[in-house]
Amino acid sequence: MAESLGRRPPRRAPARPPKGQSSASSQITHDGAIALRKRAIDREARRQKDPNIAYDSVWCVFDVDEHPRLGDAKVMAAAHDINLAISNPCFELWLILHLRESPGMQHRHAMQDLLESLVPGYEKHVDFPRYAPGYPLAVRRAMRLDALANDVGTPGHNPTSNVYELTELILKGRGEGQAEPSTPEPTEETQPAPDAGDSPAESVDG
């Protein structure tokens, strides 16, 4: 008891790992911090009996871009039951799929330029009413890209985005399951050519 009331010994700074090597202790500390944070949120939700604080799952939304430690992020997320909504190469792909078919493999800057051509004035601000009409098609297009990537043995390759898994989960939780479009999406063989007056957002490119 007396020892616990005494002055604490000074805390030593952790030794830095050699350059080029990762620190196992710092990794454990970081992982532990994530787990402790999740448990703290859960306890607070139960204490306040607030359903808005409670959660059924945890998601992290990010782009691949030129992520230097994507593999590490996936391993850490899996270890802590964190779901990932990843867009490759960038989140703009998910928005583009609301307006047209995938343009194929692109650098993130090219993908961003394409979205700006479809939505003039786009600057990382999402105008939800602008994209809402194309949401059912975006889900189907993104699912098709995922299936193609899996078929060739490179899941998550460029271009893919599984953001739809998160959005569909949210909709189902709210009892707003997404209905299929009233008319089937035109195929490349049957898709009519857009009129000259059509805007890029109104036409669906093959």
Side-chain angles (χ1 to χ4, degrees), residues 41-60:
I41 294 173
D42 190 44
R43 285 197 302 269
E44 183 66 13
R46 289 197 301 267
R47 186 181 70 82
Q48 296 188 19
K49 297 181 180 180
D50 185 350
N52 293 317
I53 299 178
Y55 61 87
D56 296 315
S57 59
V58 178
W59 286 77
C60 179

Side-chain angles (χ1 to χ4, degrees), residues 101 140 144 184-192 204-206:
E101 284 285 356
R140 292 171 60 182
R144 188 160 61 246
E185 183 180 1
T187 64
E188 293 183 0
E189 291 79 9
T190 61
Q191 180 178 332
V204 179
D205 295 339

Side-chain angles (χ1 to χ4, degrees), residues 29-43 55 80:
T29 300
H30 187 69
D31 291 359
I34 294 175
L36 286 173
R37 178 60 178 163
K38 289 175 64 179
R39 288 199 294 268
I41 294 173
D42 190 44
R43 285 197 302 269
Y55 61 87
H80 296 288

Side-chain angles (χ1 to χ4, degrees), residues 46-196:
R46 289 197 301 267
R47 186 181 70 82
Q48 296 188 19
K49 297 181 180 180
D50 185 350
N52 293 317
I53 299 178
Y55 61 87
D56 296 315
S57 59
V58 178
W59 286 77
C60 179
V61 181
F62 65 92
D63 301 349
V64 168
D65 285 338
E66 295 176 359
H67 201 301
R69 301 184 63 184
L70 180 60
D72 292 342
K74 289 181 177 180
V75 171
M76 183 182 296
H80 296 288
D81 294 326
I82 297 175
N83 302 282
L84 300 179
I86 307 175
S87 297
N88 190 357
C90 56
F91 184 76
E92 282 77 8
L93 168 64
W94 168 240
L95 298 180
I96 288 170
L97 295 178
H98 290 68
L99 308 174
R100 53 158 288 171
E101 284 285 356
S102 165
M105 182 177 179
Q106 301 284 335
H107 188 275
R108 70 180 188 276
H109 293 158
M111 202 73 75
Q112 291 161 355
D113 289 343
L114 174 58
L115 182 58
E116 290 176 5
S117 71
L118 297 172
V119 184
Y122 168 77
E123 292 182 358
K124 298 291 184 180
H125 171 71
V126 179
D127 181 13
F128 289 99
R130 177 72 175 79
Y131 301 95
Y135 175 73
L137 290 178
V139 172
R140 292 171 60 182
R141 291 164 177 163
M143 291 178 68
R144 188 160 61 246
L145 290 176
D146 268 354
L148 290 172
N150 290 331
D151 286 346
V152 298
T154 54
H157 72 193
N158 182 344
T160 55
S161 175
N162 72 319
V163 174
Y164 67 89
E165 294 181 5
L166 172 57
T167 57
E168 287 291 275
L169 186 64
I170 293 172
L171 288 173
K172 289 178 181 177
R174 293 165 53 185
E176 301 176 12
Q178 192 63 46
E180 290 293 323
S182 57
T183 57
E185 183 180 1
T187 64
E188 293 183 0
E189 291 79 9
T190 61
Q191 180 178 332
D195 295 334

